[in-house]
Amino acid sequence: MKPMRTERLILRNWEDRDRDLFHRINSDERVMEFFPFRRDRAQADAKMDEFRARIAEDGYGFAAAEIVATGECVGFVGLLDTDHVPSLPAGTVEIGWRLAPEFWGKGYVTEAAEAWLAYGFETLGLDEIVSFAVAANRRSTAVMERLGMTADPSADFDHPDIPDSHPALKRHVLYRLSRKDWQARKKAAGQPPF
């Protein structure tokens, strides 16, 4: 992927120097509060390699977000095909994120996600982008709402990858954003939609 620049961030593919941070955000209890697993270093390295290969092949994915001013990687934000969620139609693309706790509350996810929405609608020509999270994950659903996404309770689902041993994490809420609504939001904000 060609790196994207926002006001404060560079969105880019993963590099070996990101491995410590990637492991940390996949094993930290606060970051992984709504996930039934924590990754050890080998598992985190394998997942980062998977993300990196997918981004290299597709041109997008859950990409590293780096602070321009410091060069620090804060976590990831990006677009991903949702082929792992059988209740969603083939070709559905989600927007997702995961940041280290010290970078929470600074607007980095929203800033990076806005760039990814533009990429999805303008470059990929998507008609819709979705996002989903455990129903109790208010931090993530608040970001979805800030992005102009709308909850679709009729599409909420039990995530197939959540084991029965974690019933409180099974139910996921789904949010949607259509290209038309994204364009209207940009126009209302006085920004060109493309």
Side-chain angles (χ1 to χ4, degrees):
M1 78 176 266
K2 180 181 176 187
M4 293 189 289
R5 172 91 187 249
T6 68
E7 183 181 345
R8 299 177 295 165
L9 301 170
I10 295 172
L11 310 175
R12 57 167 174 78
N13 205 345
W14 295 96
E15 300 173 2
D16 285 336
R17 65 186 171 108
D18 303 321
R19 289 191 185 278
D20 288 344
L21 180 277
F22 193 84
H23 172 245
R24 192 157 60 85
I25 64 172
N26 281 278
S27 59
D28 183 280
E29 289 298 322
R30 293 166 295 168
V31 177
M32 301 300 284
E33 176 183 1
F34 297 103
F35 292 84
F37 59 86
R38 309 295 178 264
R39 289 190 173 99
D40 63 26
R41 182 57 186 255
Q43 292 167 330
D45 283 350
K47 181 54 79 172
M48 193 183 100
D49 290 341
E50 178 188 320
F51 281 0
R52 182 162 51 181
R54 197 163 188 174
I55 291 166
E57 182 177 328
D58 298 339
Y60 64 93
F62 284 164
E66 174 185 310
I67 299 173
V68 172
T70 65
E72 289 176 278
C73 183
V74 300
F76 67 75
V77 183
L79 301 175
L80 192 69
D81 299 327
T82 60
D83 50 2
H84 61 289
V85 182
S87 62
L88 295 173
T92 301
V93 173
E94 70 164 303
I95 189 163
W97 46 82
R98 190 173 303 158
L99 261 60
E102 64 268 28
F103 301 109
W104 293 356
K106 300 179 187 306
Y108 291 135
V109 168
T110 303
E111 181 178 326
E114 291 284 6
W116 278 111
L117 290 173
Y119 182 86
F121 291 127
E122 295 173 5
T123 303
L124 299 179
L126 300 173
D127 290 324
E128 179 181 69
I129 296 173
V130 303
S131 193
F132 48 85
V134 171
N137 187 349
R138 187 63 193 136
R139 284 190 309 268
S140 282
T141 56
V143 172
M144 296 171 201
E145 290 163 5
R146 278 195 297 277
L147 294 172
M149 303 186 93
T150 304
D152 181 0
S154 69
D156 291 353
F157 63 96
D158 288 342
H159 202 294
D161 295 337
I162 306 296
D164 291 339
S165 59
H166 292 77
L169 302 180
K170 272 191 166 298
R171 196 67 178 166
H172 279 57
V173 292
L174 185 103
Y175 280 67
R176 300 179 183 277
L177 182 62
S178 69
R179 175 204 294 258
K180 178 181 165 190
D181 288 346
W182 177 77
Q183 289 173 329
R185 193 168 137 260
K186 290 292 184 193
K187 186 175 180 181
Q191 300 171 354
F194 287 111

